Amino acid sequence: MRVVYSLALAAYLFGTALPACAQSASNLYLLNCWGCHGSHGEGIKGTAPPLIGLGDFLKASGGRAYLIEVPGVSLSALNDAQIATVMNWVLDNMSADHSFAPYTADEVHRLRATRLTELSKTRRALLDQLLAMKIRTAAK
């Protein structure tokens, strides 16, 4: 773990690319998502929502786009391919349903060009859809 942090710090300070091992999906998550969403996707109340069960959003109309359009993703320093890689990893590791269509770099590029103007309202509408579809039993 210390090696990854040291490499990331060195890359930041010296403007060098991270080695391939730091580009793995789990390391991308560790370096870019873990701080707010937690080591197991549990989230931080009032700061970052949990990622556990994130695949549910793929079942709601507009949910697939929402996952990429949220500011933490769309404004990320990660490139489109890295976002696709880490999003697919999160969906595969933190959701019960593994039958989702993986994101591609092209899809991420297209979706992240849209900025959500009403993040909370959009999330609430998606959660309401999931409740109505009986995919979720309580808004989380």
Side-chain angles (χ1 to χ4, degrees):
M1 206 59 90
R2 280 188 174 176
V3 171
V4 172
Y5 289 124
S6 297
L7 288 171
L9 179 60
Y12 174 75
L13 293 175
F14 301 110
T16 58
L18 291 173
C21 66
Q23 297 294 315
S24 72
S26 59
N27 281 344
L28 287 171
Y29 180 84
L30 173 74
L31 294 170
N32 297 278
C33 312
W34 182 89
C36 294
H37 291 287
S39 59
H40 302 290
E42 63 275 14
I44 298 172
K45 188 173 177 111
T47 301
L51 300 178
I52 299 164
L54 195 67
D56 290 352
F57 283 92
L58 299 176
K59 298 170 185 166
S61 176
R64 186 172 181 88
Y66 167 81
L67 295 181
I68 302 300
E69 293 169 358
V70 295
V73 177
S74 67
L75 301 176
S76 169
L78 296 176
N79 66 40
D80 299 332
Q82 290 170 321
I83 289 175
T85 297
V86 76
M87 184 60 73
N88 292 332
W89 182 86
V90 166
L91 289 165
D92 195 44
N93 286 277
M94 298 182 189
S95 296
D97 184 357
H98 303 284
S99 64
F100 66 94
Y103 283 96
T104 65
D106 288 339
E107 180 183 20
V108 168
H109 180 77
R110 181 178 50 78
L111 293 173
R112 79 190 293 202
T114 301
R115 301 289 185 255
L116 287 176
T117 56
E118 299 197 36
L119 179 63
S120 296
K121 183 177 176 182
T122 302
R123 182 176 177 82
R124 175 80 261 141
L126 290 168
L127 289 170
D128 287 346
Q129 275 187 60
L130 295 174
L131 286 169
M133 296 164 66
K134 299 188 184 331
I135 292 171
R136 293 258 176 120
T137 55
K140 295 179 184 176

